[in-house]
């Protein structure tokens, strides 16, 4: 069964946003037509408060991701006393679920009603693609894409408002090909969640792997939100490939890894994949089944340069910071730097300031591509090892300054 | 009582009667008509003010109107004709997809696209209805659910593209995006206010049409079907065909709602067709007041308003769930029913509340 | 190839028997009380979460397997008494709305208490490896789930066919008023059946929670499957639910082999076909009544 | 006829002779008023017939006594204790048993299961009583394992009566239309059973459309019309009163 | 106690039967409810069907109205085989049934109940059936009022059906059937549960209806049956035991044995 349904049964708002409640209640009391909202709409100069709209899911399979992004963003603000460039920052958080239609509604609401200067999110690529139209037509907020990695946002959207503070799907797949070929073997079976993002990852990896001389011997697509993976294992196993490359995330990743372990899938084959397959949100549930598997990501909580962030995050939330938290944190960093550099919250000033900007990120420094606003960043090949508190990712190799294709996008 | 008896009652609607206001007489009494006109007038005047001060509210209002239309279309077949459709999302969604496809590929002219949305809604309803109208009660509901889910999965997996071997038709799980809003003869209806008026006009017109049909000879036969399906057959009406046509009409309006919603949101996503949409619709209907035509619109308004307002609270699901539970236990005739009682006899309303409370206490004591 | 078919068969049977545990409560509750319980999936989910907490806190899967169904059963009793009972005798539609509200509520509570990330119940130590029988290698725990669920179902089946309580349940599904007039306190039976159904769903939640992830979407995910099963089997029929659950389990497992994306489609087409051919389901009571 | 005279004044005092006293009950289905101040009494060991045309409230009276459709006002007493508004299973526990119209046996259960169900509500083990029941109802004995739904009408009626005798001790039996839809010969069998039960000390309130059958069995009779008791008398007296029979019951 | 005088015997035989069955059989599983029944009903007569409960009388009615199709056999109405035709089209062809247990639209007014039935011939799926106001089908409205007067319910036209008295409901039930303008009216126990006055009124109504409609009546009251029937059909165990005039039936031995038994009704 698809999880689309489950995501709609209930919708929920981030609980990390409690301080905001009173304002929402106030709005509810009918003051929405009042000056606060109007001031918000006008945006720009003379505006005392900066408004950031969080368009992330807080329900459904992606709920944890949304929560982490928000936490990361807020962590940065707390470290800066809740201010950017002397201006108070207000976060308005709305649940996109994984529902594209709802994503559009709330984006519009955040921009028009809340007067958001920046939109942070979303998590789901489908939502991001749906949001493009609204962000473009409203044209008054910078879009800090804190997770939705679909390259089509760059290729089809190619919008000056859009900055990836995260990654694109080429980056988490293609660069791994060379490493797999060099370190594991010449044949690969690809198993991925059968939806846009998973299929993009498959295509990019295959292209790259064939380019370096390897062969993709089998491709297995598994519907999103599958509970039982065992029927798919035979095809993977019988491919006889040296390695498996996978894109699965969230509960799919948990089910795939733990059931694969149950069925001895990894006895003969080496599991590799995009970093979401084996990330902080899935590792506790995957447990020892995850050990010995490789994945590629722009983040590793065990990396040296990341330790300050991880410690600060642990203080604040009593959790190991995951990649989503880092992306949220970097979204806040990028936004703050742009306001400070440009000295204004005018949308054009923000965009000018942000173009090509270099960010001192917990993941390691990265900068925005001057043509596409996509990040140019280091990618880490990580191996899951047994750590003190259960399994954790250890960086085994870093691929530096990974720059993705531009897909004919040239914004400026 | 036996399950089968309930099912029979459900099928012929005798239990629903008591919940449905105005049965046996005109649908929408004259005082209610005046009320509708007043509210409509207020909305017409209020819209530009909202647009100038807080466009967000205009957006909410537009959404409420569209969902209101969808809810009324369901009320026509369920509250009025007694057929519980658990598959209205299918007509709504396919109507929306049809609009999305036409707008991107053919024209943004509302006069072309919207009628076709209606036609698609009718077509899908006729297909589902043809299989389902023979069944009754819960079984009808389950059949409509099953067929609607088939449409959902077909669109979600982009089966047409797989079959035809083309890259994409429905956009699979991404859906179709970047859908422009309507124009009519060169006049763009892209802005919040023009789109609101377009929606408002069409929803009002649809409402009037549905009320008219409900009060037509055809509509009265539907009402009779709700009360006693067998006897209607035995006084010489082709009940199956009445049900099929009613379902088709209802589907047309659901398709129209989809055709209005998709360009408004700029995306058509498979989520439009999911059963949860149908489920939420039923909640709107029961919450608003079944069979009253105006109650469901109120229900749609309340649900959407609550979702928006409570979205600021971490525990909003808990609150929303509790509201449903309380309404269902203490106000089974929905908001419309409670308002009607309150308006006609406030003292009786107080009495009823007391009665409801004491019977609740009574029932849990045992 | 043979191995994958055999494996899929085992998976299908295992899914079938665990689905049957969930669907059994749903269908019995409908049969007796005419309640279409939308919150049944939420009870299954609560089973998974309580199981997870107990298993990780006390470090014992077995404690989870026993305690989680008891806790959920008690919650079910409260739910029955305070929300469902006042509605008996009203149109079943109101139960749809009511239990829909309850499902939304429970989901909110789960998110508040356990958060949004996926969890998994740690398996009991004795069942970590896998067993090879003939051409098939199959994880021990999965076999354990298959066996345990089958045993429980068989016991229930036998009880429904032969015990006084089973006779009572079948009679109540047929004519509760008459049962009441024979001197049996039907409302107690209702509560009992509801609690029993809730506990079974929770048990399935614990069993599956150690093979599938425990997440806030699992309740809404399984409820539609359960409905399909109950409808195909015939509303109110335990026997029908078991057969239909096995059917759906096998269709799910084989479907994944043949055409993964269309598996869901198969389920609904199957349901539509069954309803068209036999409107009251495979073992529906309507014709007999 | 001193007995009927004391009732005629409508004010009952608790009398140890009265097994069952219904005093001025008003019963409704929803908003529709069905019984209007119905009063009647059944004495220990009596057979009392409650007769009248279709839809006059006979079945409703029985349902009111059994607690299935509790009256809104008025009282019902059994052996002097008020039982008004009690739930049906509690009323059964007080020794009142009900054989409903159309029998309502559990068609999907076997004959024996039907009886086991009835015995289930008794506090003590009743397995020995089954044999007595089977002895009395030989047809049922032969069909222990047969599904009740496949029995003939007469057999189902026997089962319905047998079922009412298991469980808590039955001292008042409410029989609703036991002859309905039965062939004349079977009606005779049913009559025999009713007599036998009465001889065994069971007090019986008999509702019948078939007035002649009921009056032939009963000692006293009440006639209901439009929800009211319009006539009460000795059963034989009514049976021979042609004009009353015609007026109230349409029997010529 | 003589046969109804409105219709002479020669008239009946000289005309084509309005309803004719041949070998009509209906089985429900193992139970044969109607077994090989062949009967003939002449136009403008009153026929009665009598027999004990479970004899198959109601099943026969259900076969005539198309509620279910026969397992075997033919039903010819005005010379045309109607077995397996849907109920609504049988009504349109002229066979209408009234029910023993009142079976109508409780929450609608008496007028609406009748009007709905009267409306059927004037309503289809043309545009105006969806756009007109329901009260604007003049012909149906006129018919409804006329029938209300005929069944003497015009004074309660605006009351909901559920609020009517038992006798009024019985009349309404017949009125609904009349509104369908039947050529052949099947009446299921038209006098059941009625007081003597009510019964007399009902019999008068039946005779009045018979003036221009063929009637088949299921009735238990033997006196009425003997009094009004041109033809009496006796059923037992699903079979047609005998068919004939009142006198013929009275003197038929098989009937006496199986049905009338000891009775001297």
């Amino acid at each position: 069964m698809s999880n689309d349904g489950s995501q709609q049964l209930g919708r929920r708002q981030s609980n990390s946003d409690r301080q905001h409640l009173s304002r929402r209640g106030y709005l509810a009391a009918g003051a929405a037509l009042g000056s606060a909202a109007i001031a918000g709409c006008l945006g720009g100069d003379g505006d005392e408060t900066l408004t950031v709209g969080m368009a992330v899911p807080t329900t459904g399979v992606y709920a944890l991701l949304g929560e982490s992004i928000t936490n990361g963003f807020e962590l940065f603000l707390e470290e800066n006393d809740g201010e950017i460039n002397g201006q108070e920052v207000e976060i308005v958080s709305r649940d996109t679920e994984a529902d594209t239609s709802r994503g559009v509604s709330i984006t519009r609401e955040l921009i028009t009603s809340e007067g958001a200067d920046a939109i942070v999110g979303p998590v789901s690529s489908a939502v991001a693609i749906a949001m493009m139209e609204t962000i473009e037509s409203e044209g008054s907020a910078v879009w800090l894409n804190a997770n939705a990695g679909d390259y089509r946002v760059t290729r089809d959207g190619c919008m000056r408002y859009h900055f990836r503070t995260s990654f694109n799907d080429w980056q988490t797949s293609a660069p791994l090909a060379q490493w797999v070929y060099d370190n594991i073997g010449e044949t690969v079976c690809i198993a991925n969640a059968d939806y846009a993002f998973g299929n993009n990852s498959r295509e990019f990896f295959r292209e790259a792997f064939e380019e370096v001389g390897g062969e993709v011997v089998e491709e297995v697509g598994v519907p999103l939100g599958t509970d039982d993976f065992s029927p798919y294992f035979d095809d993977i196993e019988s491919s006889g490939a040296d390695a498996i490359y996978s894109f699965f995330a969230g509960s799919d990743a948990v089910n795939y890894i733990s059931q694969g372990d149950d069925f001895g899938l990894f006895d003969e084959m080496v599991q590799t994949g995009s970093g979401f397959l084996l990330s902080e949100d899935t590792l506790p549930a995957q447990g020892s089944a995850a050990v010995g598997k490789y994945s590629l990501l722009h983040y590793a909580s065990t990396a040296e340069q990341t330790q300050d962030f991880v410690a600060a995050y642990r203080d604040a939330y009593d959790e190991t910071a995951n990649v989503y938290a880092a992306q949220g944190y970097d979204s806040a960093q990028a936004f703050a730097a742009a306001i400070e550099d440009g000295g204004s919250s005018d949308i054009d000033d923000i965009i000018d300031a942000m173009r090509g900007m270099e960010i001192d990120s917990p993941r390691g420094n990265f900068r925005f591509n001057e043509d596409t606003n996509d990040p140019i960043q280091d990618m880490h090949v990580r191996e899951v090892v047994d750590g003190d508190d259960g399994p954790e990712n250890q960086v085994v190799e870093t691929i530096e300054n990974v720059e993705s294709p531009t897909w004919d996008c040239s914004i400026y | 009582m036996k399950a089968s008896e309930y099912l029979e009652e459900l099928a012929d609607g005798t239990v629903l009667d008591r919940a449905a206001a105005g049965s046996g007489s005109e649908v929408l009494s004259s005082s209610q008509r005046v009320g509708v006109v007043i509210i409509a007038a207020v909305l017409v005047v209020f819209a530009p003010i909202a647009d100038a001060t807080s466009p967000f509210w205009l957006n909410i209002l537009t959404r409420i109107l569209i969902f209101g239309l969808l809810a009324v279309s369901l009320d026509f077949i369920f509250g009025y004709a007694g057929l519980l459709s658990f598959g209205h999302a299918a007509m709504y969604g396919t109507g929306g997809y049809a609009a999305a496809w036409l707008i991107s590929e053919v024209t943004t002219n509302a006069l072309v696209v919207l009628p076709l949305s209606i036609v698609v809604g009718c077509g899908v309803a006729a297909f589902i209805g043809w299989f389902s109208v023979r069944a009754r009660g819960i079984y009808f509901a389950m059949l409509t659910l099953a067929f609607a889910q088939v449409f959902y999965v077909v669109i979600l997996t982009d089966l047409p593209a797989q079959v035809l071997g083309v890259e994409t038709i429905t956009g699979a799980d991404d859906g179709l995006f970047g859908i422009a809003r309507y124009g009519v003869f060169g006049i763009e209806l892209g802005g919040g206010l023009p789109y609101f008026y377009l929606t408002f006009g069409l929803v009002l017109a649809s409402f009037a049409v549905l009320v008219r049909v409900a009060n037509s000879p055809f509509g009265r036969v539907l009402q009779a079907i709700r009360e006693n399906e067998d006897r209607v057959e035995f006084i010489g009406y082709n009940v199956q065909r009445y049900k099929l046509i009613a379902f088709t009409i209802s589907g047309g309006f659901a398709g129209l709602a989809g055709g209005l919603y998709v360009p408004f949101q700029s995306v058509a996503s498979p989520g439009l067709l999911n059963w949860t949409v149908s489920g939420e619709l039923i909640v709107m209907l029961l919450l608003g007041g079944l069979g009253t035509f105006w109650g469901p619109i109120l229900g749609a308004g309340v649900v959407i308003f609550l979702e928006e307002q409570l979205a600021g609270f971490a525990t909003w699901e808990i609150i929303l769930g509790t509201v449903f539970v309380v309404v269902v236990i203490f106000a089974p005739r929905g908001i419309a029913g409670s308002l009607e009682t309150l308006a006609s006899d406030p003292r009786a309303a107080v009495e009823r509340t007391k009665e409801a409370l004491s019977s609740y206490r009574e029932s849990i004591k045992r | 190839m043979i191995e994958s078919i055999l494996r899929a068969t085992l998976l299908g049977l295992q899914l079938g028997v665990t689905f049957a545990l969930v669907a059994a409560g749903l269908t019995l509750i409908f049969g007796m009380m005419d309640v279409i319980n939308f919150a049944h999936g939420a009870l299954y989910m609560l089973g998974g979460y309580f199981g997870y907490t107990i298993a990780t806190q006390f470090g014992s899967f077995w404690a989870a397997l026993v305690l989680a169904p008891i806790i959920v059963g008690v919650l079910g009793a409260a739910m029955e008494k305070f929300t469902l009972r006042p509605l008996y005798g009203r149109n079943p539609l109101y139960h749809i709305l009511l239990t829909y509200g309850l499902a939304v509520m429970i989901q909110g509570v789960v998110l508040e208490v356990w958060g949004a990330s996926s969890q998994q119940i740690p398996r009991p130590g004795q069942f970590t490896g896998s067993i090879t029988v003939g051409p098939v290698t199959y994880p021990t725990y999965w076999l354990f789930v298959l066996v345990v669920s089958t045993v429980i179902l068989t016991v229930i089946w036998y009880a429904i066919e032969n015990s006084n309580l089973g006779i009572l349940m079948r009679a109540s599904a047929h004519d509760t008023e008459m049962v009441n007039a024979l001197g049996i306190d039907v409302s107690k039976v209702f509560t009992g059946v509801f609690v029993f159904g809730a506990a079974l769903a929770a048990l399935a939640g614990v069993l599956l929670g150690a093979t599938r992830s425990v997440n806030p979407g699992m309740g809404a995910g399984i409820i539609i499957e359960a409905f399909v099963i109950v409808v195909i089997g015939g509303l109110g029929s335990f026997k029908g639910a078991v057969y239909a659950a096995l059917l759906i389990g096998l269709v799910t497992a084989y479907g994944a082999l043949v055409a993964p994306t269309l598996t869901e489609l198969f389920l609904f087409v199957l349901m539509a076909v069954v309803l068209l051919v036999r409107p009251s389901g495979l073992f529906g009571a309507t014709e007999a009544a | 006829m001193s007995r009927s005279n004391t009732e005629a004044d409508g004010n009952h005092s608790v009398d140890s002779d009265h097994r069952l006293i219904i005093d001025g009950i008003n019963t409704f289905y929803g908003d529709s008023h069905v019984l209007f101040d119905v009063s009647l009494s059944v004495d220990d060991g009596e057979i009392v017939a409650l007769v009248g045309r279709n839809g006059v409230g006979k079945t409703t009276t029985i349902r009111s006594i059994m607690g299935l459709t509790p009256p809104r006002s008025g009282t019902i007493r059994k052996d002097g204790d008020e039982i008004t508004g009690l739930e049906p299973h509690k009323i059964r526990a007080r020794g009142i048993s009900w054989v409903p119209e159309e029998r309502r046996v559990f068609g999907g259960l076997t004959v024996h299961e039907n009886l086991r169900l009835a015995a289930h509500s008794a506090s003590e083990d009743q397995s020995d009583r089954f044999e007595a029941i089977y002895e009395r109802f030989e047809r049922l004995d032969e069909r222990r394992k047969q599904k009740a739904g496949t029995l003939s009408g007469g057999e189902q009626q026997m089962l319905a009566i047998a079922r009412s005798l298991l469980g808590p001790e039955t001292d008042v039996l409410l029989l609703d239309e036991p002859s309905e839809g039965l062939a004349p010969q079977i009606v005779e069998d049913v009559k025999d059973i009713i007599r036998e039960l009465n001889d065994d000390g069971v007090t019986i309130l008999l509702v019948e459309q078939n007035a002649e059958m009921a009056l032939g069995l009963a000692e006293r009779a009440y006639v209901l019309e439009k929800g009211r008791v319009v006539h009460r008398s000795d059963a034989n007296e009514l049976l021979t009163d042609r004009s009353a029979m015609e007026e109230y019951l349409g029997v010529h | 106690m003589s046969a109804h005088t409105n219709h002479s015997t020669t008239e009946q035989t000289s005309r084509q039967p309005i309803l004719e069955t041949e070998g009509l059989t209906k089985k429900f599983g193992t139970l044969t409810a109607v077994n090989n029944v062949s009967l003939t009903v002449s136009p403008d007569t009153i026929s009665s069907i009598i027999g004990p409960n479970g004899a198959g009388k109601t099943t026969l009615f259900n076969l005539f109205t198309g509620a279910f199709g026969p397992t075997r056999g033919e039903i010819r109405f005005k010379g045309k085989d109607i077995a397996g035709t849907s109920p609504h089209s049988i009504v349109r062809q002229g066979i209408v049934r009234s029910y023993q247990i009142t079976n109508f639209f409780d929450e609608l007014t008496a007028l609406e109940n009748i009007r709905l039935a009267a409306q059927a011939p004037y309503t289809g799926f043309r545009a105006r059936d969806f756009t007109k106001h329901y009260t604007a089908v003049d012909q149906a409205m006129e018919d409804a009022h006329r029938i209300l007067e005929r069944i003497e319910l015009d004074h309660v036209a605006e009351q909901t059906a559920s609020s009517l008295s038992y006798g009024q409901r019985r009349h309404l039930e017949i009125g609904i059937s009349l509104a369908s303008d039947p050529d052949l009216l099947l009446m299921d126990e038209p006098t059941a549960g009625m007081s003597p006055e009510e019964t007399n009124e009902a019999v008068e109504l039946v005779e009045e209806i018979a003036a221009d409609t063929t009637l088949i009546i299921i009735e238990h009251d033997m006196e009425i049956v003997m009094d009004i029937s041109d033809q009496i059909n006796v059923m037992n165990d699903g079979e047609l035991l005998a068919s004939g005039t009142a006198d013929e039936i009275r003197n038929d031995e098989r009937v006496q044995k199986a049905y009338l038994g000891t009775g001297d009704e």
Side-chain angles (χ1 to χ4, degrees), chain B residues 209-227:
Chain B
V209 168
L210 280 169
V211 169
R212 185 70 199 184
V213 173
N215 281 320
S216 74
F218 174 83
R220 297 300 278 192
V221 176
L222 294 183
Q223 195 188 21
I225 288 174
R226 179 187 74 196
E227 292 207 12

Side-chain angles (χ1 to χ4, degrees), chain A residues 2 4-5 8-15 18 21 24-25 27-28 32-33 37-38 41 59 93-94 99-102 104-105 108-109 112-113 125-126 129-130 132-134 150 152 156 194-196 224, chain B residues 46 49-50 52-57 59-60 63 152 156 173-174 177-181 261 263-272 274-277 280 305 307-317:
Chain A
S2 159
D4 279 31
Q8 289 183 2
L9 184 57
R11 297 163 175 161
R12 176 171 174 269
Q13 192 49 24
S14 163
N15 55 7
R18 287 179 201 280
L21 296 189
R24 292 292 313 172
L27 281 179
L33 304 179
I38 298 173
C41 290
T59 52
S93 196
R94 308 295 258 118
D99 182 54
T100 50
S101 175
R102 182 143 182 96
V104 171
S105 283
R108 192 183 293 144
E109 184 204 333
T112 61
S113 170
S125 287
I129 287 168
M132 297 193 308
E133 173 93 6
T134 306
D150 198 311
R152 289 175 298 173
D156 301 342
D194 186 9
Y195 76 116
L224 196 61
Chain B
F46 169 75
I49 303 171
T53 51
S54 178
F56 167 65
W57 286 99
N59 274 320
I60 293 270
R63 273 179 57 206
Y152 167 68
L156 180 72
D173 50 304
D174 284 340
F177 41 85
I179 310 300
R181 288 190 182 177
Y261 192 64
F264 175 66
Q265 292 294 83
S266 84
V267 288
S269 62
L272 294 176
N274 201 297
W275 67 272
T276 49
V277 173
E280 229 167 75
F305 182 81
E307 280 183 357
E308 290 300 332
Q309 289 311 306
L310 293 180
F313 293 90
T315 51
W316 88 280
E317 274 182 320

Side-chain angles (χ1 to χ4, degrees), chain D residues 121-145:
Chain D
S121 60
S123 42
E124 78 280 14
D125 181 40
Q126 297 203 318
S127 39
D128 51 329
R129 283 179 58 191
F130 282 105
E131 291 316 312
I133 290 283
Y134 282 128
E135 227 162 86
R136 175 170 272 160
F137 301 93
E138 280 167 19
R139 302 279 289 271
L140 299 181
D141 193 15
E142 295 156 19
R143 290 170 168 71
R144 283 186 198 216
K145 296 207 164 147

Side-chain angles (χ1 to χ4, degrees), chain A residues 313-380:
Chain A
Y313 194 88
R314 189 175 295 284
D315 280 350
Y317 304 107
D318 196 28
E319 268 173 8
T320 305
N322 57 27
V323 59
Y324 315 108
Q327 290 167 170
Y329 187 85
D330 287 342
S331 300
Q333 280 207 80
F335 183 59
I339 298 283
E340 277 156 18
D341 290 0
S344 135
S345 62
D346 184 84
I347 178 71
D348 294 317
D349 294 337
I350 293 178
I351 291 171
D352 284 346
M354 214 178 275
R355 183 183 178 196
M357 176 186 275
E358 178 148 348
I359 312 277
D360 176 22
S361 162
R363 65 180 98 159
N365 293 3
F366 75 92
R367 65 191 158 85
F368 293 114
N369 182 313
E370 296 207 350
D371 287 327
T372 63
N373 296 345
D374 275 7
I376 298 170
Q377 58 189 339
D378 297 348
M379 300 302 298
H380 310 290

